[in-house]
């Protein structure tokens, strides 16, 4: 595996930098874009400083990294975890001919301890993980400080309200470690950070922080290999995925996951039910609690940061679910439904919830409570099975919190625009403001081949209304498995939706980058426009195509559609100059 | 130019059909998708009838058309226009070596007549054009009648209200010619249909009808030729563009437009200011009312159906516009601003508005009142210049209506999500419910290369709130000129946004197609899924890639991500069968 293949490349004038605060215990990697100065008639009239952008690529974006997946990432959290003194070594990872990571020490909670971020948050303790995410979320504030600018006020004429309080109002202009702690303690935010995933750069999921996105990867019975999945993981974090779900269902599930965890700088989630089902030859009725429990522990020991568990699919919802336009479309939901029908018993994940909570607490694995009854068509949106399950998710949230386990709730799916707000409001109410984590939703069923877009519409809206993390959807949704291009398209589309929501929520970070981009656009600073874009490489390629492969800067003073005579931005900057030169004209009636 | 190049191709089981109603004067072309029957265990259990879909491709989708652009389209409106007896021949089109359409008869209003759709609508007359669009909008109702189904109720938990009235409530379940007439008379809808564009298949733009989309094409000083533009036009209508704007600014403006008009089945709009500027060598200060007027008449005689006119950019707005983050970004707006600065006079388009209205009325050209001060960045959204211009647009609307001229208003641009609703509400109030026609809006500035998506988010939302037509944006926006692939991506993305809004508004047509799609998906009827998608060719290509090029139907009973063992839709249909076979289980507590 060659260096070029895995290195995150930056265009000119941008690079990975490390940021820290005085007396802080942590240093956070980010992407710094150095802006070009502003020129007028060949004379430099202003320096524009730089913009520091939140980055997810971890050491893969460091110029001097080893770029060798067989060596894994540095374990930056080792000391933080051991200093808490609440864990013991429970064994070492077995050697394997499918990966080179045998011999790794496995941690678990000391008897009577709960080494979770929520445990410490509730007791008033600020962990290094909380410090890390506060600094990371605060990148935009640092932008302002370093550039000696005041924070740019978001311009909002309509904030979303929840229970009478304007939504954006809760987001502080300067995010402190204490604010992070309080949000985690209240259950409004989670920091998924398994004690066995010390390679992780901590991040926070909660609606009073930047909206996050997740990428699903994973092989299937039909396609894909370990190196392909590792490459997809690196590709996803390069483009900005905040977390990663490994949904493998095919061969080599465990080894694939080991490769991913040891190389992944962002939290990794799984659906343990898939591996459990694999163990019983794919027959849902053969599943038992014991088999499932063993899978949970095995994956927790590997370092998985959050588990999707479909514990809220109850028997009483099945008749109504079977009467829907598209029945049950979640894999986890259908597996559990089939198990319940075969056994005539209640969902065993629901029945064993407290035992599951104990396992989660022992490794600080966070819950992502599955929505096994999410609608598979707009016709089924917000129906009785979906909303019934959501209420049960709320009960399970509160029970998990009693065990100091961090929780988020999964949501749909397929929801037409006019029904999205109601879904979000129900989740906030019924799940006591636990973070919501939605799959889109797509806002129409007929967009096959374009479902990344159909779902980005719903995703941007529901994130504005309060969803904390968006699970990406690729153009291949409903049609096939995504390839690398699809993963990039899906990730960038979701970064877009998340950023649009941050802007609409009045997050202090969001307007800053948009304004830097707009100034660069107005002044024809093309390199800055590329670097400030969500996908600098694509922006540059499109521009270069337009200018016939010529250097972008050489065709600087007119833009796209217009040609040199017609450029409206140039004309309006001339107007501005005229008005400046003739102050009397300002008074023009 | 070969047949294959221009013919709209259909996949298996779909074709262009012609629909008419008893005693009606008109017949409407549409796309009929014949659905496959439903099979269970190899036995046919249900016929699924067919779905008739609104189509924009005109004769280019007819199997037996001549497919030769040099012959032009049949002039289906000739008799309708001449029977009204309100027009005279004012000359014939000049011959040219750049196009074969010399000798075409040119019509204009008889002295004292106003041959506009609004004139007849106000006087209670239902024109064939109104009958045509009623039938066309009603395709979904015909679906239901022909399939002996009742209309499928839209499922809406939150309709947008305007002045206390639920928004969707105004859309009737069966759209009658009389309803169309009343909407046109009230100014809430327009049927752009120049008496010199007899090739046109009439369509309606108004928020109580299906949301429409527009495609911009046109050569520039930098690139593109006549055959390329004709091909882009046909490509745009193939993918479903409801109208087309020819924004050419380069060579051969008139001839390019002649080729387009004679071959275009949808309304064509232009910005006459561009051609006027060309006549004065590109120097805005040289523009005069007389030059502009001559261009208006020339284009009206050619058959342009609507004109963008930047008459609401007034002098008093310029100082505030110059102080913005991104100044004036509209070409038309900057040209007029420069003219006003040079002359120290009010906008001549505003000053000559009544004379312009007389010209529009003589040919039934509709206004699209330009938004020359639309925001070019989220930071400038809903600011004083933008909203000030919008109020002036409203005054101009009402003055145009006094001349029986049809009007729509153009809107932004760049608007973050939380400010979109306010923009829409102002437009409805200030412009007396004249149709709104917006360019997106993009909801963040940093999506270069992905602005079709950033703008589709804003477009879907503003169309739900009440916008009648959406101007498409391509991935090349802000970066370069779109090629054919970009046009397809832009058009399909906007069909998606428009359809999502129709669904959210509770349009009776919208849910029908989604439900047909979802049933096909649930039953693994792949061909039906392709045909019911917005882009059947892409959906089929993605599926075929997934199944290794094998025929889609051969891998029928499992879908995308899951593989044969895991398919959740299959599992849930088994559950449904189990519940049917064991009615007692329905009662499960």
């Amino acid at each position: 595996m060659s260096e070029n293949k895995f290195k995150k490349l930056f265009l000119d004038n941008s690079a990975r930098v490390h940021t820290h605060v005085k007396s802080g215990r942590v240093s956070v990697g980010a992407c710094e874009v150095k802006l070009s100065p502003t020129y007028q008639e060949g004379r430099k009239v202003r320096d524009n400083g730089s913009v520091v952008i939140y980055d997810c690529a971890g050491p893969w974006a460091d110029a001097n990294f080893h770029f060798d997946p067989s060596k894994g990432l540095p374990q930056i959290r080792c000391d933080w975890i051991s200093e808490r003194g609440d864990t013991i070594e429970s064994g070492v990872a077995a050697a394997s001919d499918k990966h080179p990571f045998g011999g790794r020490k496995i941690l678990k909670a000391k008897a009577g301890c709960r080494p979770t971020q929520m445990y410490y948050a509730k007791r008033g303790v600020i962990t290094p993980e909380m410090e890390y995410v506060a600094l990371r979320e605060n990148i935009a504030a640092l932008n302002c400080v370093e550039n000696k600018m005041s924070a740019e006020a978001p311009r909002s004429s309509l904030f979303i309200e929840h229970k009478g309080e304007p939504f954006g109002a809760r987001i502080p202009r300067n995010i402190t470690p204490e604010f992070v702690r309080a949000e985690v303690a209240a259950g409004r935010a989670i920091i998924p950070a398994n004690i066995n995933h010390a390679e992780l750069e901590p991040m926070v999921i909660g609606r009073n922080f930047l909206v996050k996105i997740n990428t699903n990867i994973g092989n299937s019975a039909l396609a894909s290999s370990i190196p392909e999945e590792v490459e997809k993981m690196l590709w996803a974090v390069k483009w900005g995925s905040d977390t990663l779900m490994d949904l493998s269902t095919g061969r080599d599930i465990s080894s694939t996951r080991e490769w991913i965890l040891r190389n992944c700088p962002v939290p990794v989630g799984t659906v343990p039910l898939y591996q459990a089902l694999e163990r019983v030859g794919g027959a849902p009725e053969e599943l038992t609690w014991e088999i499932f429990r063993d899978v949970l522990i095995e994956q927790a020991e590997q370092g998985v940061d959050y588990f999707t568990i479909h514990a809220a699919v109850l028997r009483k919802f099945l008749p109504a679910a079977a009467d829907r336009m598209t029945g049950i479309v979640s894999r986890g939901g259908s597996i559990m439904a089939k198990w319940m029908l075969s056994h005539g018993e209640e969902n065993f994940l629901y029945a064993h919830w407290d035992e599951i909570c104990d396992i989660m607490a022992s490794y600080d694995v966070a819950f992502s409570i599955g929505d096994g009854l999410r609608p598979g068509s707009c016709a089924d949106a917000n129906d009785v099975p979906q909303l019934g399950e959501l209420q049960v998710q709320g009960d399970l949230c509160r029970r998990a919190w009693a065990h100091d386990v961090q929780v988020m709730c999964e949501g749909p799916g397929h929801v037409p625009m006019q029904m999205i707000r109601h879904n979000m409001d129900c989740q906030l109410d019924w799940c006591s403001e636990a973070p919501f984590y939605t799959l889109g939703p797509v806002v129409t069923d007929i967009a096959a081949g374009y479902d990344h877009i159909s779902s980005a519409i719903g995703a941007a809206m529901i994130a504005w209304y309060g969803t904390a993390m968006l699970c990406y959807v690729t153009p291949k949704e409903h049609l096939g498995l995504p390839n690398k291009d699809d993963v990039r398209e899906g990730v960038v589309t979701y970064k877009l939706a998340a950023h649009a929501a941050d802007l609409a929520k009045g997050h202090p970070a969001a307007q800053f980058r948009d304004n830097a981009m707009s100034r660069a656009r107005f002044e024809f600073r093309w390199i800055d426009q590329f670097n400030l874009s969500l996908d600098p490489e694509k922006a540059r390629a499109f521009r270069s195509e337009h200018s016939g492969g010529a250097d972008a800067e050489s065709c600087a003073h007119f833009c796209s559609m217009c040609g040199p005579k017609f450029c409206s931005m140039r004309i309006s900057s001339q107007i501005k100059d005229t008005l400046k030169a003739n102050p009397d004209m300002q008074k023009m009636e």
Side-chain angles (χ1 to χ4, degrees), chain A residues 82-105:
Chain A
S82 64
E83 279 166 14
R84 288 193 277 264
D86 54 3
T87 53
I88 51 164
E89 263 186 59
S90 68
V92 293
S96 161
D97 57 355
K98 303 237 161 147
H99 68 72
F101 306 110
R104 178 183 53 87
K105 289 175 192 165

Side-chain angles (χ1 to χ4, degrees), chain A residues 539-589:
Chain A
R540 186 173 64 172
F542 279 2
R543 182 67 196 165
S544 154
E545 193 183 303
H546 175 74
S547 49
D551 177 41
E553 292 290 311
S554 72
C555 52
H557 276 78
F558 51 91
C559 56
S560 61
M561 308 282 286
C562 314
K565 263 192 197 167
F566 270 92
C567 176
S568 53
M569 285 210 183
R570 194 166 62 142
I571 293 183
S572 72
S573 82
Q574 290 170 356
I575 292 168
K576 209 163 167 173
D577 295 344
T578 311
L579 283 167
K580 261 187 203 141
N582 304 281
D584 278 3
M585 295 183 72
Q586 298 276 356
K587 288 177 205 119
M588 190 160 64
E589 136 235 22

Side-chain angles (χ1 to χ4, degrees), chain A residues 69 98-100 226 230 255-263:
Chain A
K98 303 237 161 147
H99 68 72
I226 292 179
V230 171
S255 307
T256 304
R257 196 165 47 234
E258 191 69 29
W259 276 98
I260 288 174
L261 279 163
R262 303 289 73 84
N263 286 292

Side-chain angles (χ1 to χ4, degrees), chain A residues 192-481:
Chain A
N194 186 321
I195 53 174
N196 289 307
H197 189 199
E199 298 87 350
L200 177 78
E201 298 189 338
M203 51 77 73
V204 65
I205 302 168
R207 77 182 201 286
N208 292 326
F209 300 96
L210 292 164
V211 175
K212 303 304 188 296
I213 72 153
N214 172 70
T215 301
N216 289 337
I217 61 164
N219 59 3
S220 81
L222 295 174
S224 169
S225 66
I226 292 179
E228 279 176 277
E229 293 308 316
V230 171
E231 220 180 307
K232 271 190 208 162
M233 178 271 281
L234 293 172
W235 193 240
V237 298
K238 168 184 168 144
W239 293 112
S241 189
D242 295 286
T243 78
L244 203 88
M245 286 195 81
D246 175 12
L247 301 183
S248 294
T249 56
R251 281 159 301 151
D252 301 329
I253 288 190
S254 294
S255 307
T256 304
R257 196 165 47 234
E258 191 69 29
W259 276 98
I260 288 174
L261 279 163
R262 303 289 73 84
N263 286 292
C264 190
V266 304
V268 174
T270 61
V271 186
L273 194 59
Y274 298 169
Q275 188 169 12
L277 190 63
E278 200 105 329
R279 297 240 168 121
V280 295
E285 56 278 14
E286 304 292 321
L287 283 167
T288 65
W289 158 243
E290 290 72 22
I291 289 167
F292 183 80
R293 182 197 58 202
D294 292 348
V295 170
L296 278 192
I297 293 169
E298 182 187 317
Q299 296 198 7
E301 289 183 345
Q302 272 191 302
V304 173
D305 302 287
Y306 63 91
F307 287 153
T308 295
I309 298 196
H310 297 89
V313 182
L314 301 191
R315 292 170 74 195
K316 63 183 175 188
F317 301 134
L318 298 187
D323 271 346
R324 289 165 144 187
M325 171 90 60
T326 45
I328 302 176
V329 297
S330 142
R331 275 188 272 175
S334 351
I335 294 165
M336 291 317 301
K338 211 164 174 190
W339 186 91
M340 289 187 272
L341 285 176
S342 309
H343 291 256
E345 287 171 24
E346 190 53 279
N347 183 333
F348 70 81
L349 302 170
Y350 183 81
H352 290 273
W353 188 249
D354 290 314
E355 289 157 271
I356 296 174
C357 288
D358 282 338
I359 296 169
M360 308 295 270
S362 300
Y363 302 90
D364 200 7
V365 183
F367 276 116
S368 180
I369 303 180
D371 58 333
L373 301 176
R374 68 168 173 268
S377 56
C378 286
D380 291 340
N382 288 7
D383 69 354
V384 170
Q386 183 198 338
L387 297 185
E389 182 184 27
L390 185 58
Q391 284 181 301
V392 179
Q393 286 178 307
D395 296 337
L396 296 175
C397 277
R398 287 177 289 272
R399 285 170 60 189
W401 288 337
H403 293 260
D404 297 329
V405 176
Q406 305 187 95
V407 193
M408 57 184 172
C409 297
E410 295 185 9
H414 290 237
V415 187
M417 283 193 287
Q418 84 278 16
M419 299 171 83
I420 292 176
R421 178 71 197 269
H422 180 65
N423 193 167
M424 186 70 233
D425 285 348
C426 290
Q427 194 275 340
L428 289 173
D429 283 349
W430 299 345
C431 302
S432 305
E433 304 187 52
F436 204 26
Y437 165 33
T438 59
L439 178 62
V442 301
V443 294
T444 165
D445 304 326
I446 63 168
Y450 297 80
D451 273 324
H452 61 310
I453 302 177
S454 170
S455 66
I457 295 170
M461 290 175 71
I462 204 163
W464 171 31
Y465 299 155
T467 285
M469 185 157 80
L470 303 168
C471 182
Y472 94 153
V473 170
T474 76
K476 293 282 169 62
E477 185 74 19
H478 297 114
L479 294 169
L481 279 172

Side-chain angles (χ1 to χ4, degrees), chain A residues 475-488:
Chain A
K476 293 282 169 62
E477 185 74 19
H478 297 114
L479 294 169
L481 279 172
N483 60 26
K484 265 181 78 176
D485 285 343
D486 299 318
V487 170
R488 173 182 179 176

Side-chain angles (χ1 to χ4, degrees), chain A residues 156 158-171 207-208 421 464-465 504-506:
Chain A
S156 296
L158 177 70
F159 279 115
I160 285 296
E161 292 192 4
H162 183 67
K163 294 183 178 164
E165 185 188 2
F167 189 83
R170 272 209 187 141
I171 306 174
R207 77 182 201 286
N208 292 326
R421 178 71 197 269
W464 171 31
Y465 299 155
K505 282 164 66 178

